[in-house]
Amino acid sequence: MVKSGKISIIRELWDFMRIRKKWWLGPIVLVLLLLGLLLVFTQGSALAPFIYTLF
């Protein structure tokens, strides 16, 4: 059930961008996701202090 909820959010975002021609939102969402993944994966590593100084 949770998986279908995540898929529906992604689907709604895609439909919104496609119908309203808001293609500029794509790179913004992608960069935010990559930054979030970077923070999650480096949280317990030795790189964490260097990454947190960027923010």
Side-chain angles (χ1 to χ4, degrees), residues 12-48:
E12 284 185 38
L13 179 63
W14 174 252
D15 288 340
F16 174 79
M17 289 180 4
R18 185 174 49 88
I19 291 170
R20 301 217 196 299
K21 308 290 189 225
K22 302 284 185 186
W23 297 114
W24 53 270
L25 284 172
I28 294 172
V29 171
L30 182 67
V31 167
L32 287 174
L33 286 174
L34 289 175
L35 282 173
L37 287 174
L38 179 69
L39 288 174
V40 167
F41 286 127
T42 61
Q43 185 174 5
S45 73
L47 293 175

